[in-house]
């Protein structure tokens, strides 16, 4: 009899352990030109699971990856639907490109699934569903401090150049609004199609504009590298035109290819791999191990790591049961020490409040390049949300 009870108990335990696999679906660019960015999502997730384990109480986390190589809202939506309906994922995360996140927000309430955004940076996304939480940044949040910096450094006239979609339009508005409020003038604003890869004609317009500085935003990837190279190769620096941008333009994985010409470039951003804290040193060691090639490590890894932390808090709060609203409510006001510095989730907007750092591309003693933090804009919320409403 005793044996039988033990056997029954063992069976029940196995059954309940089996039932408590919590599936997390990650949508991102895992192949094609932006594959390194997706690889960084995976490195951040793997680093989190390697350092914290894949269990939350009795529940086991299982990660399912789906590849959307370039911005493709229809593909993103179809894959999210497949993950929710066929795979039964309880959480959706990842989302490198804004259009891919936007396309999925209408599915969340019906699917009873929270979305934890690990990159997509257009302010308005969080307003599209009460079930969206973001652990990355917005281009409003990262670009407004650059406008202040430019004015502090005496720039009177600037020109803006951005990719013509959500985060680019937000970056342009953030820079122009802040720069002009501080007494500067934006002499021209250029919006380029996302597919643009010949930047010489743009550099000519920048030269002709009479601006003292060019502020630029493009989504991190092969085109940001192309854009910075075009700035360097078209003699704009020699012509005395300063380069200003959020940190998407100097991601660490691009710095070797930019080379010495990049030294001194100023950017504002939420995360530098060189951030000096014990939390960041531990994170970088784990994430470098996870990614395999340390030279490929870049900013999406940290939002992914923090995104996993937020998801584990959601699983804890719901005891593993599928209750998207309860999960999201549980992380409103959550505050923790991220590898990037102190952060919290704003309960109103469900967007991350964080320090934004002014950084300068520098060359280390070992000959490697890094983003050296030189000033901190503390506890920045997203100023773009007022504009997004
Ligand atoms: C976005 O599509 O929201 C996006 C992509 C890459 C970035 C920033 C924003 O570097």
């Amino acid at each position: 009899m005793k044996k039988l009870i033990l056997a029954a108990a063992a069976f029940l335990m196995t059954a309940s352990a089996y039932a408590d696999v919590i599936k997390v679906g990650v949508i991102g660019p895992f192949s094609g030109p932006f594959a390194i960015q997706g690889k960084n999502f995976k490195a951040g997730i793997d680093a989190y699971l390697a350092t914290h384990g894949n269990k939350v109480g009795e529940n086991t986390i299982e990660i399912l990856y789906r590849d959307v190589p370039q911005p493709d809202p229809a593909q993103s939506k179809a894959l999210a639907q497949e993950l929710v309906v066929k795979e039964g994922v309880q959480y959706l995360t990842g989302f490198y490109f804004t259009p891919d996140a936007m396309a999925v927000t209408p599915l969340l309430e019906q699917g009873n699934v929270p979305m934890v955004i690990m990159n997509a940076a257009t302010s308005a996304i969080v307003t599209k569903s009460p079930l969206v939480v973001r652990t990355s940044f917005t281009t409003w949040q990262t670009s407004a401090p650059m406008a202040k910096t430019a004015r502090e450094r005496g720039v009177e006239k600037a020109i803006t150049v951005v990719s013509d979609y959500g985060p680019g339009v937000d970056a342009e508005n953030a820079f122009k609004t802040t720069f002009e409020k501080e007494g500067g003038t934006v002499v021209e604003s250029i919006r380029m199609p996302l597919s643009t890869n010949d930047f010489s004609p743009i550099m000519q317009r920048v030269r002709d504009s009479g601006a003292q500085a060019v502020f630029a935003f493009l989504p991190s990837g092969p085109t940001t590298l192309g854009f910075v190279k075009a700035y360097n190769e078209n003699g704009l620096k020699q012509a005395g035109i300063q380069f200003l941008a959020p940190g998407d333009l100097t991601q660490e994985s691009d710095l070797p290819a930019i080379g010495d010409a990049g030294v001194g470039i100023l950017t504002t951003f939420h995360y530098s791999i060189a951030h000096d804290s014990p939390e960041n040193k531990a994170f970088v060691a784990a994430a470098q191990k996870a990614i395999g090639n340390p030279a490929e490590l870049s900013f999406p890894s940290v939002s992914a790591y923090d995104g996993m932390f937020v998801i584990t808090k959601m699983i804890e709060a719901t005891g593993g049961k599928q209750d998207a609203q309860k999960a999201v409510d549980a992380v409103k006001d959550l505050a923790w020490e991220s590898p990037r510095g102190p952060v919290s989730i704003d309960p109103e907007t469900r967007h991350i409040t964080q320090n934004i750092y002014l950084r300068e591309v520098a060359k280390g003693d070992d000959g490697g390049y890094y983003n050296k933090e030189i000033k901190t804009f503390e506890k920045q919320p997203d100023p773009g949300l007022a504009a997004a409403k």
Side-chain angles (χ1 to χ4, degrees):
M1 184 63 184
K2 201 170 168 196
K3 241 184 182 169
L4 205 67
I5 291 171
L6 277 177
F11 172 77
L12 276 176
M13 272 175 69
T14 323
S16 80
Y18 186 78
D20 291 335
V21 169
I22 312 282
K23 291 186 181 177
V24 176
V26 187
I27 291 179
F30 297 106
S31 67
F34 293 93
I36 286 195
Q37 312 304 117
K39 222 173 158 182
N40 271 277
F41 278 170
K42 187 167 186 306
I45 293 167
D46 286 348
Y48 188 86
L49 296 175
T51 49
H52 296 77
N54 67 344
K55 293 216 114 189
V56 184
E58 290 300 306
N59 305 302
T60 307
I61 298 174
E62 187 190 331
I63 311 281
L64 285 80
Y65 290 96
R66 292 293 182 272
D67 183 20
V68 181
Q70 309 225 26
D72 186 341
Q75 194 187 7
S76 177
K77 188 172 182 180
L79 289 172
Q81 231 146 6
E82 182 254 333
L83 282 167
V84 172
V85 177
K86 256 179 74 188
E87 295 289 353
V89 301
Q90 281 195 34
Y91 297 90
L92 282 170
T93 188
F95 301 103
Y96 188 68
F97 294 106
T98 289
D100 299 343
M102 286 285 199
V104 173
T105 54
L107 306 179
L108 303 176
E109 284 193 84
Q110 205 194 349
N112 191 18
V113 173
M115 170 190 275
V116 178
I117 296 177
M118 292 177 168
N119 190 69
T122 302
S123 288
I125 306 172
V126 293
T127 67
K128 302 298 173 195
S129 163
L131 297 178
V132 178
V133 176
R134 175 160 43 201
T135 58
S136 51
F137 58 96
T138 66
T139 48
W140 257 99
Q141 199 176 26
T142 55
S143 301
M146 182 43 84
K148 286 200 185 114
T149 303
R151 286 296 296 138
E152 273 165 26
R153 293 181 174 232
V155 179
E156 304 272 334
K157 287 186 191 171
I159 178 169
T160 62
V161 181
V162 302
S163 298
D164 191 7
Y165 81 124
V169 172
D170 274 9
E172 177 195 290
N173 284 332
F175 186 85
K176 187 176 160 71
T177 308
T178 316
F179 192 68
E180 296 196 334
K181 203 171 120 206
E182 301 287 332
T185 308
V186 170
V187 295
E188 195 179 338
S189 289
I190 301 174
R191 295 182 182 178
M192 326 169 265
L194 253 182
S195 56
T196 308
N197 53 30
D198 175 10
F199 302 111
S200 295
I202 306 251
M203 295 304 159
Q204 192 55 48
R205 283 176 69 184
V206 170
R207 262 175 184 270
D208 294 345
S209 72
Q212 299 155 287
V214 53
F215 169 83
F217 169 83
L218 297 86
S220 259
T223 43
T224 40
L225 179 56
F227 191 88
V228 178
K229 280 190 160 173
Y231 166 83
N232 289 331
E233 285 159 13
N234 283 269
L236 270 74
K237 195 174 178 179
Q238 289 78 353
I241 301 169
Q242 278 186 61
F243 185 87
L244 310 170
D248 313 71
L249 279 280
T250 62
Q251 66 169 338
E252 282 81 355
S253 51
D254 285 343
L255 293 180
I258 296 171
D260 282 347
V263 171
I265 289 183
L266 291 179
T267 56
T268 36
F269 217 33
H270 62 298
Y271 180 60
S272 162
I273 289 176
H275 180 69
D276 189 13
S277 74
E279 289 81 6
N280 189 46
K281 288 205 169 65
F283 165 70
V284 170
Q288 284 185 338
K289 200 171 158 199
I291 206 161
N293 175 4
E296 287 182 342
L297 198 64
S298 178
F299 65 91
S301 61
V302 82
S303 312
Y305 181 84
D306 286 329
M308 279 312 294
F309 171 71
V310 166
I311 290 170
T312 57
K313 289 287 158 200
M314 291 174 163
I315 297 173
E316 238 170 64
T318 51
K321 295 209 174 57
Q322 189 157 2
D323 185 340
Q325 191 59 59
K326 191 173 178 186
V328 170
D329 287 345
V331 300
K332 291 178 178 171
D333 248 345
L334 189 65
W336 71 101
E337 189 66 32
S338 159
R340 67 188 99 172
V343 299
S344 60
I345 301 294
D346 181 322
E348 296 292 315
T349 65
R350 291 159 276 106
H351 175 72
I352 194 161
T353 299
Q354 57 192 335
N355 294 344
I356 298 296
Y357 305 92
L358 172 64
R359 311 100 46 83
E360 186 173 6
V361 176
K363 198 170 187 174
D365 295 338
D366 61 355
Y369 302 96
Y370 67 107
N371 287 302
K372 181 178 178 184
E373 290 174 358
I374 53 177
K375 182 178 170 177
T376 304
F377 297 84
E378 281 184 11
K379 295 200 174 148
Q380 302 291 301
D382 179 15
L385 281 160
K389 274 181 189 149

